[in-house]
Amino acid sequence: MDRIANAFARARSEGRACFIPYVCACDPDFETSVEICRELVEADVDLLEIGVPFSDPLADGLTNQLAAQRALESGSTHEKVFELVRKVRGLGEMPIVLYTYYNLIFSQGIENYVQEAKAAGVDALLTLDLPPEEAFELLEASRNQGLCNIFIIAPTTPNDRIPLIAQSGSGFLYYVSREGVTGAREEMASGLKESVDRIKAHSELPVVVGFGISSPEHVREVSTAADGVVVGSDIVNCIPENLSDKAAIPGVIGAKVRHLMQGLRQG
């Protein structure tokens, strides 16, 4: 069983959903990013989603756009991202998902990128702007290396398209809980369970939910419907709020994540 499957199996055995934090690689700088990831490992999160800094992050709201900007300004490069992954992999067997855009893969050569990702310790690629209809080369290269490919399903995705996405994907399916870009929200979107059930009718893959989750109550609500909960912007916001004391950022994020994870066991 691979690391991603193991994570979901472990959570199921404990009667809960997986908790999946998102952070941007090298935000606010490489050294602090390593310590943030170390803190997340020590918090015993289930999977780790690492964003690859990109100059045109079209699926991201302001919080994650600024995170990518800080990372790039601090000197983040293709090589630095994989160096970070290698350091995180050295901390244990937590699954690592790279949240990226297709140009960042294509520009390095698809086969080369996938090989580098696998060698560094990546378990899956979530390529935001690559639909399954156009993903043949990446899917083939990933299968050859044993990497999963995560695809997104939106509230606007037609029912008749879900089977194609499910058949193309591996590891898990990612449902975005609302239309638009990433960002913390005060309230969760309505009809979440019905939407997750709609996806599960077409696939046996675990379904995780992200976009807009910002409290233990949100985590609890999502975890009753889905197999995993992704929190990004609410965690990333801890970085600009504490830039005057970078050494404190990992601890602040650790405390935030532990607080959010209380929602997995409430009620």
Side-chain angles (χ1 to χ4, degrees):
M1 191 179 292
D2 63 35
R3 283 188 286 252
I4 291 176
N6 272 331
F8 283 101
R10 171 193 168 198
R12 280 194 300 271
S13 73
E14 297 175 1
R16 61 175 179 83
C18 284
F19 186 86
I20 309 170
Y22 166 91
V23 291
C24 182
C26 304
D27 176 28
D29 55 53
F30 179 80
E31 292 77 15
T32 307
S33 187
V34 171
E35 294 308 311
I36 289 169
C37 291
R38 187 188 307 277
E39 186 73 29
L40 294 172
V41 171
E42 291 176 357
D44 200 26
V45 302
D46 295 288
L47 294 88
L48 179 58
E49 191 175 306
I50 298 178
V52 181
F54 185 43
S55 58
D56 298 285
L58 300 178
D60 291 302
L62 182 60
T63 294
N64 289 343
Q65 288 179 23
L66 292 174
Q69 182 176 323
R70 286 191 299 269
L72 291 169
E73 289 175 349
S74 78
S76 175
T77 61
H78 170 81
E79 291 77 14
K80 283 286 188 182
V81 170
F82 282 127
E83 184 180 348
L84 174 68
V85 171
R86 285 191 292 271
K87 286 186 176 294
V88 177
R89 176 54 61 228
L91 300 175
E93 289 299 297
M94 175 186 300
I96 298 171
V97 178
L98 279 191
Y99 174 108
T100 189
Y101 289 85
Y102 189 55
N103 191 53
L104 297 175
I105 297 172
F106 184 79
S107 63
Q108 299 294 322
I110 295 169
E111 291 279 355
N112 180 65
Y113 191 96
V114 170
Q115 289 173 10
E116 280 194 75
K118 179 66 175 181
V122 173
D123 296 280
L125 299 173
L126 196 170
T127 312
L128 273 295
D129 55 348
L130 182 65
E133 294 91 340
E134 300 175 19
F136 175 77
E137 289 180 84
L138 181 59
L139 290 172
E140 184 176 43
S142 298
R143 278 193 295 267
N144 291 339
Q145 293 294 324
L147 281 187
C148 293
N149 286 104
I150 313 302
F151 287 101
I152 284 180
I153 297 173
T156 53
T157 301
N159 273 337
D160 60 4
R161 194 162 178 270
I162 294 175
L164 168 65
I165 298 172
Q167 289 161 16
S168 302
S170 50
F172 58 87
L173 296 171
Y174 192 130
Y175 177 67
V176 298
S177 62
R178 61 180 67 246
E179 298 176 40
V181 295
T182 60
R185 303 290 196 278
E186 291 296 322
E187 297 181 358
M188 289 301 301
S190 60
L192 185 61
K193 187 177 187 308
E194 292 79 4
S195 298
V196 171
D197 287 345
R198 178 169 66 103
I199 298 167
K200 285 182 171 289
H202 297 282
S203 176
E204 295 183 358
L205 287 173
V207 177
V208 312
V209 173
F211 284 37
I213 299 167
S214 62
S215 71
E217 291 72 29
H218 288 172
V219 170
R220 177 60 184 166
E221 183 179 344
V222 173
S223 68
T224 61
D227 302 295
V229 184
V230 182
V231 182
S233 296
D234 196 50
I235 294 170
V236 174
N237 277 331
C238 295
I239 295 175
E241 292 169 0
N242 293 276
L243 282 175
S244 61
D245 184 9
K246 287 185 182 180
I249 290 173
V252 171
I253 286 178
K256 165 71 74 172
V257 165
R258 289 176 174 88
H259 175 65
L260 290 165
M261 289 174 68
Q262 292 174 11
L264 296 177
R265 300 183 186 278
Q266 290 179 355

